[in-house]
């Protein structure tokens, strides 16, 4: 679970993805580019009791990395600092974080790749992060169906409160609500609308967004799709 695979394309375009299967449980995630910062609005949900972040350093020199952890409460865990050797991955165990849910920000002195892996009674969940914040995000497919519970996760790593408009998209209309994200904190927004086809979120100030789906078949994480300002 600390393997990092690099894909180089000599001609044309590809979309790499990975899958992980354990019994009847399956998780998959897309490949990513390099970045010196990564945000994971959700890194662990209730039912996942073993969480780690895997960071790969493709550079020819050491890279120093700081992991800032964010929870829904006012008190945040202490940052974690690690040094990654040249052309090597490192797996940082986050199981000791004393909270059921949390998000992570990765800050590195050079571009790296990063991914979250979680396992427990709720299954196996893996995800890449978002390399930057944005003012608008789209999360297609997010909804609650039967025993599968969909949750929107919002992360504010700034020192100012962010007011976010959450629009649950249905076939006929958008159901809007306002959500406040306190400074340096994480917020969970359950998506209970049965006709939801996805969620759009936007704010005046930048933030990051992701979603999780939990149910009898397992747990899934996915980053949101940033809508870049023109």
């Amino acid at each position: 679970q600390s393997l990092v695979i690099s894909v180089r394309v000599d001609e044309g375009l590809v979309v790499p993805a990975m899958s992980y299967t354990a019994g009847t449980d399956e998780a998959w995630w897309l490949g990513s580019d390099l970045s010196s910062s990564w945000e994971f609005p959700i890194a662990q949900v209730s039912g996942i009791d073993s969480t780690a972040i895997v960071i790969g350093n493709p550079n020819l020199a050491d890279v120093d990395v700081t992991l800032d952890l964010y929870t829904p409460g006012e008190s945040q865990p202490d940052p974690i600092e690690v040094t990654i050797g040249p052309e090597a991955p490192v797996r940082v165990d986050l199981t000791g974080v004393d909270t059921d849910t949390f998000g992570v920000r990765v800050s590195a002195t050079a571009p790296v790749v990063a991914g979250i892996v979680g396992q427990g009674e709720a299954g196996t969940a893996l995800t890449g992060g978002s390399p930057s914040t944005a003012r608008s995000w789209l999360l297609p497919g997010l909804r609650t169906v039967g025993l599968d519970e969909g949750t929107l996760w919002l992360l504010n790593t700034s020192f100012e409160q962010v007011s976010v408009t959450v629009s649950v998209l249905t076939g006929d209309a958008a159901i809007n609500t306002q959500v406040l994200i306190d400074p340096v904190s994480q917020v969970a927004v359950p998506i209970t609308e049965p006709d939801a086809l996805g969620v759009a979120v936007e704010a005046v100030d930048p933030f990051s967004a992701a979603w999780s789906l939990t149910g009898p078949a397992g747990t899934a994480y996915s980053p949101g799709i940033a809508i870049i300002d023109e």
Side-chain angles (χ1 to χ4, degrees):
Q1 295 178 353
S2 58
L3 174 68
V4 175
I5 296 176
S6 175
V7 177
R8 185 182 68 184
V9 180
D10 296 321
E11 184 177 353
L13 299 172
V14 299
V15 180
M18 293 284 291
S19 66
Y20 177 87
T21 303
T24 59
D25 189 22
E26 181 179 12
W28 66 270
W29 65 105
L30 293 174
S32 67
D33 206 346
L34 298 172
S35 178
S36 58
S37 65
W38 291 98
E39 293 204 1
F40 297 84
I42 183 59
Q44 178 173 289
V45 297
S46 180
I48 296 292
D49 47 35
S50 175
T51 297
I53 185 168
V54 178
I55 307 169
N57 172 20
N59 303 283
L60 299 178
D62 289 352
V63 172
D64 295 325
V65 176
T66 300
L67 306 178
D68 293 297
L69 309 179
Y70 301 88
T71 72
E74 296 181 358
S75 177
Q76 306 301 340
D78 292 333
I80 300 172
E81 296 183 350
V82 296
T83 298
I84 310 175
E87 298 183 303
V90 66
R91 185 177 188 273
V92 182
D93 187 6
L94 302 176
T95 304
V97 179
D98 189 20
T99 181
D100 287 339
T101 65
F102 60 89
V104 179
R105 179 179 64 182
V106 177
S107 303
T109 54
V112 297
V113 293
I116 290 288
V117 55
Q119 294 178 307
E121 294 183 359
T124 299
L126 300 102
T127 184
S130 299
S132 62
T133 56
R135 293 178 175 85
S136 300
W137 295 85
L138 182 63
L139 300 99
L142 171 56
R143 62 176 178 169
T144 294
V145 180
L147 297 177
D148 294 327
E149 298 180 358
T151 302
L152 167 67
W153 297 91
L154 306 174
L155 181 62
N156 175 17
T157 59
S158 76
F159 293 97
E160 300 292 335
Q161 189 180 69
V162 176
S163 177
V164 177
T165 300
V166 177
S167 301
V168 178
L169 307 177
T170 68
D172 300 318
I175 303 172
N176 299 328
T177 57
Q178 292 295 126
V179 176
L180 297 178
I181 319 175
D182 288 333
V184 292
S185 68
Q186 173 203 58
V187 169
V189 183
I191 305 300
T192 58
E193 173 57 49
D195 296 326
L197 301 176
V199 175
V201 288
E202 61 180 359
V204 174
D205 301 304
F207 63 102
S208 59
W211 60 266
S212 68
L213 186 67
T214 58
T219 299
Y221 300 152
S222 179
I225 300 171
I227 302 174
I228 306 302
D229 296 334
E230 297 182 355

